[in-house]
Amino acid sequence: MTGLHAKTLTELKAGLDGGEFSSVELTQSLLDRIAAHDDQLNALITVTGDEALAAAERADDARAAGAGGVLNGLPIIHKDIFCTRGIKTTCGSRMLDNFISPYDATIVERLAAAGAVVLGKANMDEFAMGSSNETSYFGPVRNPWDRERSPGGSSGGSAAAVAARFSPAATATDTGGSIRQPAALTGTLGIKPTYGRVSRYGMIAFASSLDQAGVITRSAEDAARLLGVMAGFDERDSTCLDVPVPDYVAELGQSIKGLKVGVVRQHFDAGLDADCGARVKEAIAVIESLGATAVEVDMPNIDYSVPTYYVVAPAECSSNLSRFDGVRFGHRAGNVEDLFDLYCRSRGEGFGDEVKRRIMTGTYVLSAGYYDAYYLKAQQVRHLIADDFKRAFEKVDVIAGPTAPTPAFRLGDKVDDPITMYLNDIYTIGANLGGFPALSVPCGFVNDLPVGLHLVGHHFAESTLLRCAHAYEQATDWLAACPEGFA
Amino acid sequence: MSLDKDQVRQIAKLARLELSEDEYAESVEKLSKIVDFVDHLSAADTSGVMPMAHPLNVAQRLRADVVTEQNDRDRFQENAPAVANGLYLVPKVIE
């Protein structure tokens, strides 16, 4: 069976339901594709071929028996930040190069229960700390649109795998933009749900007040389908909220007439590439032509987003990553003198440069004498930024703007300057600070590289975002664009 | 504000990270840049603003105090670098 890779998850579901092909045929064709092409991209850390074919066979058997969940036999790739029982779970780090998870993350469990077939584990920036996928211990991922460029990060492997048609969908996580920025840079759709919407049990923690799980797909409908399975209360995650999950797919069809779209003046300042800005403005005009109204909104504190994030996120990371001690799991240094030496050397050897830098930044801002000036101050500014959003949502349903300041940049271009790298997330961080849902949908090209339109909604407004993206998709054909060599 | 090498040494010690001499030099430079960058926050007027520790204003949920976990020690210890009789082994800490 050829050509299956080009189909979206929704199209594949129809094909399986209609008996056009089996899940085993589909799974084998994607595994063959990964084997043939991933040496160019390095999108996957682990390919789980045997497990995938066994799961596909079970799905086909279930279908034959008239059973099977809503995703029965459909392929997915998991970002390697999600624990998968019996399968290596590295988080892109040498620290966990030998870690075989003893349990499944809740979303891994839920997707499997719905019948999804896991093709493998996606490459990522180490511990999700990076915006280019260059901090991975397993090497950078290459962008399918230009192999010399980054696919963004930290979910760079997930985004590249979906863009290259290795899988119609991949799970991903977002702490400051790690789903949306790679989606923008690879011409895919990525959604970060509301904080607390999706369980984080079994998702390796980076910054606990910001982290959220989501998906990268090639259509809003596919994202709606997956989110419906992933979202919802989980008693194993104390931050996961007990809020009913709407039927995201059913709500996609509703019109966007009368939708109020906020455009943030500060988002079109000098930091934005002019051509990217033009694509985004064109996209907003298309959304207006579908019956929405654009309104200018002012967010006076939004420029503090990045410095606020680079206090809060490192502080939480320095605390979360203290669990890696070389004692219970993970890398352990050899020939140590004493316990202190064991900790320092295991961590010194196990963590890469960017992770060490963030742990040290966090340690510094939390240390005696600096806590008030940095950490407490950042938490106060965080409040101001969240209030900017809440004020805007009194007037508008969604906020639209650019996802990233530029299209995909060259590998190596920003890796030596942390501040330049951090500024990649200037438009996405605000949603994490306030816990708001947000997505990126492709809105055209600049120099043959994809550009993303960023949509942010109020808490639990995922349906509105997906509906808006879906309407935009119907009016344009950017999501159907395929990078050369991957058609 | 720039950091000096002694400060970075102290931070690395607190964070339990061993760094090479090259890493120290690089960390002094890059951490100083990061600290300078986040110093922009001092310009924000935050008088009377409550610190925000969490994005949603909800109370911590509590569960009933009953046993829900089974003992999976052996399975969990399969990932441990050194164990004996169900115990994690570390270098001697008491002489």
Side-chain angles (χ1 to χ4, degrees), chain A residues 62-208:
Chain A
R63 187 177 300 278
V70 295
L71 300 174
N72 192 47
L74 292 166
I76 196 154
I77 287 170
H78 286 305
K79 185 175 181 180
D80 211 15
I81 198 169
F82 292 106
C83 286
T84 42
R85 184 168 180 165
I87 292 165
K88 193 166 82 156
T89 300
T90 68
C91 221
S93 182
R94 182 184 181 194
M95 182 59 89
L96 292 175
D97 188 25
N98 60 2
F99 181 68
I100 309 292
S101 175
Y103 68 101
D104 275 332
T106 294
I107 66 150
V108 170
E109 209 174 82
R110 286 186 183 174
L111 289 166
V117 171
V118 181
L119 302 176
K121 305 289 299 284
N123 200 348
M124 55 181 284
D125 277 302
E126 184 179 10
F127 285 102
M129 297 174 199
S131 306
S132 68
N133 220 113
E134 289 170 289
T135 73
S136 171
Y137 174 62
F138 302 92
V141 176
R142 293 173 178 277
N143 192 322
W145 291 94
D146 178 348
R147 320 292 194 271
E148 301 304 310
R149 290 176 192 269
S150 163
S154 69
S155 309
S158 299
V162 173
R165 276 68 175 161
F166 291 171
S167 170
T171 55
T173 62
D174 192 311
T175 304
S178 282
I179 292 176
R180 296 158 284 155
Q181 181 255 15
L185 270 45
T186 59
T188 53
L189 183 143
I191 180 165
K192 176 203 94 74
T194 306
Y195 183 86
R197 178 72 287 185
V198 174
S199 169
R200 303 183 299 177
Y201 177 79
M203 173 177 136
I204 297 169
F206 159 15
S208 300

Side-chain angles (χ1 to χ4, degrees), chain A residues 436-454:
Chain A
F436 300 105
L439 66 72
S440 178
V441 59
C443 68
F445 291 84
V446 169
N447 299 328
D448 298 325
L449 296 169
V451 177
L453 169 73
H454 191 224

Side-chain angles (χ1 to χ4, degrees), chain A residues 85 98-100 102 195 209 233-235 237-238 240-241 304 306-308 310-311 326-330 332 336 338-340 342-345 347-348 351 353 356-357 359-361 363-364 370 374 377-384 386 416 419 422 433-435 459, chain B residues 1 3 7-8 10-19 23 26-27 29-31 33-35 37-56 58-61 68-69 75-77 79-83 88-93:
Chain A
R85 184 168 180 165
N98 60 2
F99 181 68
I100 309 292
Y195 183 86
S209 78
F233 181 64
D234 176 16
E235 65 181 17
D237 172 2
S238 68
C240 187
L241 295 182
Y304 290 120
V306 185
T308 300
Y310 279 96
V311 173
V327 174
R328 293 157 302 151
F329 52 86
R332 180 180 198 145
V336 295
D338 54 22
L339 191 58
F340 182 80
L342 169 72
Y343 293 150
C344 295
R345 286 189 36 218
R347 291 162 62 79
F351 293 136
D353 292 346
K356 287 180 199 171
R357 200 141 53 227
I359 291 173
M360 288 195 285
T361 306
T363 303
Y364 177 71
Y370 298 102
Y374 291 109
K377 180 81 179 178
Q379 286 191 316
Q380 289 175 307
V381 181
R382 182 177 183 178
H383 206 150
L384 295 176
D416 289 330
I419 304 302
Y422 294 173
L433 292 172
H459 294 140
Chain B
M1 196 187 93
L3 299 178
Q7 281 176 297
V8 173
Q10 177 61 16
I11 294 167
K13 186 182 164 198
L14 287 171
R16 302 293 188 267
L17 288 171
E18 184 177 270
L19 302 184
E23 284 179 307
E26 197 188 324
S27 297
E29 182 214 326
K30 291 191 173 165
L31 289 177
K33 276 192 185 172
I34 294 169
V35 171
F37 178 68
V38 300
D39 270 338
H40 287 133
L41 289 177
S42 60
D45 180 3
T46 53
S47 47
V49 178
M50 284 282 289
M52 177 176 167
H54 193 274
L56 299 173
V58 290
Q60 178 71 48
R61 177 166 47 78
T68 55
E69 291 289 321
R75 188 153 60 91
F76 295 149
Q77 288 196 333
N79 274 301
V83 289
Y88 293 95
L89 301 185
V90 295
K92 199 170 177 180
V93 284

Side-chain angles (χ1 to χ4, degrees), chain A residues 395-481:
Chain A
K395 293 203 297 183
V396 301
D397 303 299
V398 299
I399 292 169
T403 307
T406 64
F409 46 90
R410 285 181 192 284
L411 291 165
D413 262 12
K414 299 191 180 183
V415 76
D416 289 330
D417 181 1
I419 304 302
T420 312
M421 188 66 91
Y422 294 173
L423 287 169
N424 261 295
D425 296 331
I426 189 162
Y427 307 122
T428 49
I429 278 174
N432 301 82
L433 292 172
F436 300 105
L439 66 72
S440 178
V441 59
C443 68
F445 291 84
V446 169
N447 299 328
D448 298 325
L449 296 169
V451 177
L453 169 73
H454 191 224
L455 301 173
V456 188
H458 210 325
H459 294 140
F460 297 100
E462 285 81 3
S463 268
T464 312
L465 299 180
L466 288 166
R467 189 155 54 91
C468 190
H470 182 69
Y472 178 72
E473 266 174 53
Q474 306 302 302
T476 58
D477 56 2
W478 304 122
L479 267 162

